[in-house]
Structures are given as structure tokens and as C-alpha cells.
Amino acid sequence: MLGTISPRGFTLIELIVTLAIVALLSTIALPLSELAVQRSQEQALHQALREIRTAIDAYKQAWDEGRIATSVGKSGYPASLDILVQGVDDPSDPTGKAKIYFLRRIPRDPFATDNSLSAADTWGKRSYNSSPDDPQEGDDVYDVYTKSTGKDLRGIPYREW
């Protein structure tokens, strides 16, 4: 057995080829994982917008049906998003203690990066008297939108959702 050489490890070429393959696979996997994160955030945004807008519409419907105490000069939309969670007095309750609730909690904007803001403050708010082209806050909350300046996978700005 004098002339045989036993293999003891990998050659430098084998290690370089292996590292090149791993690098190639990681360059493919990284964009796919970023895409998955973006899709997840977009789904969360879509769900949060639907939840808040449904609650705003339910508040307006309760106003129109007289289930919320009305006052002259008001639009019938909530004064803030917090009212949807805090609830409003139910005038049909004889004890005066019952409330009508529209949301359990206000969802956060998934694209909001400032964790010090409350969930309600992560959203842009449009008042009833505001133009849809230039939404401004006012005496009520007619609609909400994300403050994100990004675009979705189709190229549509998130603010236009």
C-alpha cells in the first residue's frame, strides 16, 4: 500500500465551486423572499383598509338610521377613528348605558415605520369636505389611506388604494 494516497479533504477548486453555487442560489432566493414580504404587507394593507372603511360605513348607516344622536351641520361620519373603538351612546337604550361599537381595535398601517404613533395616527384621513385628489383632515373621517409613498407590485401607489 505504499503507492496509494488517501483523500483527506476538499480541494480549493471544489470549495470555490461550492461557494459560487451557494452565492448563485442566494441571489435568486433573496428577491423572492423580499417579494413575499411585500405581498404579505399588501394583503395586510388591503385587509386593514377594508376593515376601517367598513366600520366608517357602518357608523354612517347608524347615523342615517337615527341610531346615533345627530346634530345639525354634521356629516354623519365619525369625528375620529377612535370613536369607532370607543363606541357611541345607543339612544334606544332606556338606561343610557349601552353603546354601539364599530371596531374592536384600529389596525395599524402595515407600511408605517414609526412605532411611537398610535394605530389611528398611522393612517392618513380624508374628511367629507375634502377633495379626493388632495385629501385633507377635517371635522370628520370620511375615508382613510396609507401614508406610504411606495407602489404595489402592479405599479399603483398605495395611497390610491
Side-chain angles (χ1 to χ4, degrees), residues 10 17 19 22-23 36 49 56-57 63 73 76 84 91-92 102 133 138 147 155:
F10 297 107
V17 168
L19 287 176
V22 169
L49 286 171
I56 291 171
D57 292 343
W63 172 280
L84 300 172
S92 66
F102 302 95
D133 299 329
K147 294 178 182 178

Side-chain angles (χ1 to χ4, degrees), residues 59-71:
Y59 184 97
K60 175 64 170 149
Q61 182 177 359
W63 172 280
D64 291 343
E65 293 171 352
R67 294 176 38 219
I68 297 175
T70 61
S71 56

Side-chain angles (χ1 to χ4, degrees), residues 87-160:
V88 293
D89 294 329
D90 185 356
S92 66
D93 179 39
T95 65
K97 295 180 182 179
K99 288 190 173 255
I100 303 171
Y101 299 97
F102 302 95
L103 280 175
R104 290 184 181 172
R105 65 172 184 80
I106 299 169
R108 290 185 67 80
D109 182 347
F111 289 100
T113 56
D114 188 356
N115 292 332
S116 66
L117 293 175
S118 70
D121 291 334
T122 62
W123 296 102
K125 298 162 201 77
R126 175 182 165 212
S127 73
Y128 181 73
N129 293 325
S130 176
S131 163
D133 299 329
D134 183 28
Q136 301 292 322
E137 290 191 34
D139 296 334
D140 56 18
V141 180
Y142 175 71
D143 194 15
V144 293
Y145 57 91
T146 182
K147 294 178 182 178
S148 172
T149 57
K151 293 183 178 183
D152 67 9
L153 295 172
R154 300 167 295 170
I156 299 171
Y158 292 121
R159 287 181 64 122
E160 293 180 11

Side-chain angles (χ1 to χ4, degrees), residues 45-55:
L45 176 63
H46 183 70
Q47 183 177 0
L49 286 171
R50 179 177 289 166
E51 187 176 342
I52 294 172
R53 288 172 175 164
T54 300

